[in-house]
Amino acid sequence: MSDTIKTINCPACKEEMTKIFMSEGAANIDVCLNGCGGIFFDNRELKKFDENSESIDELKQAIEGKNFKKTDEAQTRICPLCNTPMVKNSVSTKGNIIIDECYNCGSKFFDHGELTKMREEFPTEQDRRQALLADTYNEVGLKIDQLEIQNTINHTQRSKFLKFLDRLFF
Ligand SMILES: [Zn+2]
Ligand SMILES: [Zn+2]
């Protein structure tokens, strides 16, 4: 877990990350203050800060007015806790917030600005889950509809063909 004394290096720019104590969740989170401004959460930490009502004041203060270096967001990042390649995942229905997730230990990395963007788009975790579910449902539901239409066509064609055979041979 990152909520330990162990310092970790930023998965995006490799700078050593700084631990910031957050009074809201009484947790230390790792922020890339001397590099890209990215934020790293272990598998339990994010839940404490993903809703707009949850205070991230200490984090905001720490990154305020700082210039962070740009990183290549398309690059695969390696989880600094367990060395597993992280997976890019959308946390927005608009598809404009892509974070890095470690499927092995559950850690998540937000590039500079992404956490605030996510909190603004969906004020609560519930809102975000519902929106993402609706999105998935639309995608899967559409595919099922298409399959059903396909099946109906096949069924009609088949019965026509059977009738044709029937007339031909009997
Ligand atoms: Zn960094
Ligand atoms: Zn990991």
Side-chain angles (χ1 to χ4, degrees), residues 89-107:
N89 252 329
S90 173
V91 288
S92 156
T93 50
K94 291 171 193 153
N96 58 349
I97 314 168
I98 312 281
I99 64 159
D100 294 88
E101 283 186 54
C102 174
Y103 284 176
N104 186 47
C105 72
S107 298

Side-chain angles (χ1 to χ4, degrees), residues 1-17:
M1 302 300 110
S2 63
D3 196 18
T4 58
I5 34 159
K6 190 188 159 223
T7 45
I8 55 170
N9 285 63
C10 174
C13 73
K14 308 287 180 285
E15 281 293 336
E16 194 170 278
M17 298 185 94

Side-chain angles (χ1 to χ4, degrees), residues 1-167:
M1 302 300 110
S2 63
D3 196 18
T4 58
I5 34 159
K6 190 188 159 223
T7 45
I8 55 170
N9 285 63
C10 174
C13 73
K14 308 287 180 285
E15 281 293 336
E16 194 170 278
M17 298 185 94
T18 310
K19 289 191 189 297
I20 293 181
F21 181 76
M22 308 283 283
S23 49
E24 172 84 32
N28 284 304
I29 58 166
D30 294 279
V31 186
C32 188
L33 282 186
N34 304 314
C36 66
I39 309 163
F40 186 83
F41 294 99
D42 77 20
N43 65 341
R44 294 156 301 130
E45 285 168 349
L46 177 63
K47 280 191 81 62
K48 298 171 184 166
F49 308 106
D50 61 350
E51 306 203 348
N52 225 355
S53 60
E54 293 160 339
S55 158
I56 50 166
D57 289 349
E58 289 102 335
L59 177 68
K60 280 184 181 159
Q61 272 162 28
I63 60 177
E64 206 179 65
K66 277 204 160 68
N67 282 323
F68 295 112
K69 54 182 174 197
K70 283 249 163 265
T71 58
D72 179 7
E73 293 188 24
Q75 205 174 53
T76 302
R77 276 97 185 241
I78 310 292
C79 175
L81 291 185
C82 70
N83 281 324
T84 308
M86 299 176 90
V87 179
K88 304 214 178 282
N89 252 329
S90 173
V91 288
S92 156
T93 50
K94 291 171 193 153
N96 58 349
I97 314 168
I98 312 281
I99 64 159
D100 294 88
E101 283 186 54
C102 174
Y103 284 176
N104 186 47
C105 72
S107 298
K108 292 176 177 66
F109 179 78
F110 287 72
D111 285 290
H112 178 55
E114 285 178 342
L115 179 67
T116 349
K117 249 203 250 175
M118 182 187 84
R119 287 162 49 105
E120 277 161 8
E121 185 173 343
F122 305 111
T124 69
E125 191 194 350
Q126 180 88 352
D127 292 338
R128 189 172 76 246
R129 272 173 201 268
Q130 270 169 4
L132 291 177
L133 262 178
D135 231 29
T136 315
Y137 180 81
N138 282 342
E139 240 170 68
V140 177
L142 257 176
K143 283 194 186 115
I144 291 172
D145 283 351
Q146 280 165 356
L147 268 177
E148 270 173 5
I149 292 166
Q150 198 66 43
N151 275 336
T152 327
I153 292 167
N154 287 344
H155 186 77
T156 329
Q157 281 171 339
R158 202 176 57 209
S159 61
K160 267 189 190 161
F161 186 58
L162 285 174
K163 270 181 198 153
F164 172 68
L165 284 182
D166 196 58
R167 274 203 304 260

